[in-house]
Amino acid sequence: MLIGTLLLGLLADFRYSADLVWCGRPSAILWEDQLFASVSGRIDGPVGGLFRGGFVPERRGVPSPLSHSTQMVAHRTNLSKLELRDGRLLFFSTGHRFFYIVPLAELPGLEDSDFGTLIARARGYRNSSALLDYYGGELTSLLFPDHRKPDVFPPPFEDLVSLNPSELELGYRVGRYVNRARSDLQIAGEKTVRMFHAHDGKLFVSIEKDYLRAWHYDKRNKEIKNPPSAPDRQLRTGQLPAGFTGYFAVYTVGGRDYMVTSDGKVYMATLKGKSEMDVKVLWDDPKQKVAGVVQDQDNNAVYGWGYAGKDGSSDRFYLKFDPKPAPVRYALTVSLWRNITDAYLESYECARAFRKNKNK
């Protein structure tokens, strides 16, 4: 009897968290007639990926999307980040050290199929993974570059506490810090990113060289001469509100940066003076946490969505990211698939809802 009760309790816990478990915390982009959705998957489950399909809101149902391999492995959190700018896609799992900025023209080579492998090989890559690695970057180069002093000296841990650490100890401390770093990226220019880095109650925002492998090595792994030089950092700093301790993804609309956290809150950061950022809480409703984000590129708008009803219900809400967000209720028009592609389905239904309301 006791075992049966425990099993029922575990099943109840699973039902309560099923949506977030399967869906992760996805990031999506509505671009012309295409919807892209990136998901990091379950923290202890399947690897996430990128899903893409046509968006026809007037048509009933949600067509099955194409799956693309992106190696999005949930690390410290399953909060995903996706951005499209100047014909390139950035995808990143916050809390993870690796990120990718891939030209849209190369996206067919990442299709999770034999066709995708053939396309990758036809374009000079060994396989889809090699294509992805070619456009990959790593946070260590951004947080601890060779050409300048880092904003944060890697803190001590366990018995590694030296004030003047050896190269070996420093390497251990850097590696440990990067594996736990709270940071996010945006595409800034052809070879640069805008980095957000939070540490010990302080926010650092700067322009950095993206250090993509593509700028340093060719497809045959030969080193390229004269790699990109470091840009003007344009460093800004700001104090984070109390309680801002988790991982985050940043979306910029109308000159304001909206920071969506792994616990479902939204903060707004704005420029202050010549070198500061002002950060404040924008959305903190424990009953309506933001679970995912959809960017409407055609209308220069960003929306967060979340669960609004009891567990298992189809009730959802979305809110447009602006200085005075107001939740709007909607309901799913289709049943969840109960697998990782629910990230795409949820994003599609949110986009269908805000486009319907916008066109009224």
Side-chain angles (χ1 to χ4, degrees):
M1 184 69 178
L2 178 60
I3 293 177
T5 302
L6 289 173
L7 286 173
L8 286 173
L10 288 172
L11 287 172
D13 287 342
F14 174 77
R15 284 196 300 270
Y16 178 77
S17 60
D19 293 333
L20 285 177
V21 165
W22 283 117
C23 193
R25 294 187 179 275
S27 180
I29 296 171
L30 184 57
W31 177 66
E32 297 186 0
D33 65 345
Q34 298 289 300
L35 180 71
F36 301 80
S38 180
V39 63
S40 300
R42 294 188 294 179
I43 291 176
D44 59 348
V47 174
L50 176 70
F51 302 97
R52 177 182 65 83
F55 180 71
V56 188
E58 301 82 12
R59 187 178 299 170
R60 295 183 63 182
V62 176
S64 296
L66 285 172
S67 174
H68 299 75
S69 176
T70 59
Q71 300 180 7
M72 286 293 96
V73 180
H75 186 49
R76 299 290 168 182
T77 173
N78 58 3
L79 180 65
S80 296
K81 172 64 177 294
L82 184 66
E83 184 182 44
L84 173 60
R85 177 175 172 178
D86 298 332
R88 296 190 297 157
L89 272 175
L90 178 151
F91 34 90
F92 178 52
S93 181
T94 60
H96 205 282
R97 65 194 305 158
F98 300 106
F99 64 93
Y100 305 92
I101 305 177
V102 178
L104 276 179
E106 299 276 36
L107 197 59
L110 294 178
E111 282 190 23
D112 195 9
S113 64
D114 291 341
F115 174 76
T117 301
L118 287 172
I119 291 295
R121 289 175 179 171
R123 295 182 178 178
Y125 305 99
R126 186 175 67 256
N127 51 34
S128 298
S129 294
L131 187 161
L132 194 61
D133 291 343
Y134 185 66
Y135 292 104
E138 206 258 349
L139 285 180
T140 301
S141 300
L142 278 75
L143 293 170
F144 298 96
D146 295 332
H147 67 275
R148 65 169 176 82
K149 183 179 179 181
D151 295 321
V152 175
F153 191 77
F157 72 99
E158 296 179 354
D159 58 342
L160 302 179
V161 297
S162 175
L163 295 177
N164 187 24
S166 66
E167 185 176 345
L168 180 62
E169 178 180 334
L170 183 62
Y172 274 116
R173 285 163 61 168
V174 165
R176 185 178 187 274
Y177 184 85
V178 172
N179 273 330
R180 292 160 173 76
R182 296 160 54 214
S183 58
D184 188 33
L185 303 172
Q186 295 177 328
I187 298 172
E190 183 183 1
K191 299 177 182 180
T192 57
V193 290
R194 188 172 182 231
M195 182 171 69
F196 293 75
H197 175 204
H199 174 72
D200 198 22
K202 190 173 183 179
L203 177 67
F204 302 86
V205 182
S206 59
I207 303 297
E208 306 289 348
K209 186 167 69 168
D210 61 24
Y211 290 94
L212 294 190
R213 184 175 181 80
W215 309 135
H216 296 268
Y217 297 89
D218 63 19
K219 295 180 182 179
R220 296 180 180 179
N221 207 34
K222 292 185 178 180
E223 191 169 0
I224 296 173
K225 295 181 179 180
N226 301 318
S229 58
D232 176 11
R233 296 190 71 205
Q234 304 173 38
L235 177 64
R236 287 179 174 269
T237 60
Q239 293 299 312
L240 293 169
F244 192 142
T245 57
Y247 293 89
F248 59 91
V250 185
Y251 302 88
T252 301
V253 184
R256 301 179 180 89
D257 298 310
Y258 296 92
M259 309 172 75
V260 181
T261 64
S262 53
D263 57 357
K265 300 176 184 178
V266 182
Y267 293 79
M268 185 174 71
T270 53
L271 304 181
K272 180 182 177 182
K274 294 183 178 180
S275 61
E276 294 182 80
M277 299 290 290
D278 180 57
V279 185
K280 62 181 181 182
V281 179
L282 184 70
W283 182 261
D284 181 11
D285 186 340
K287 294 183 179 180
Q288 296 187 107
K289 296 183 178 181
V290 172
V293 172
V294 181
Q295 304 158 73
D296 185 356
Q297 290 224 328
D298 292 347
N299 295 297
N300 192 30
V302 180
Y303 299 83
W305 63 266
Y307 306 99
K310 295 181 179 179
D311 180 53
S313 79
S314 62
D315 296 329
R316 301 289 188 269
F317 77 93
Y318 72 76
L319 53 89
K320 185 177 181 180
F321 288 178
D322 63 34
K324 296 182 179 180
V328 178
R329 292 290 189 102
Y330 68 98
L332 298 180
T333 65
V334 296
S335 298
L336 293 173
W337 295 322
R338 292 298 174 184
N339 58 43
I340 200 167
T341 49
D342 279 348
Y344 181 82
L345 188 151
E346 290 277 13
S347 303
Y348 194 106
E349 289 287 82
C350 175
R352 192 201 305 268
F354 67 64
R355 277 289 178 89
K356 180 180 178 180
N357 287 333
K358 185 178 186 300
N359 294 332
K360 281 184 178 179

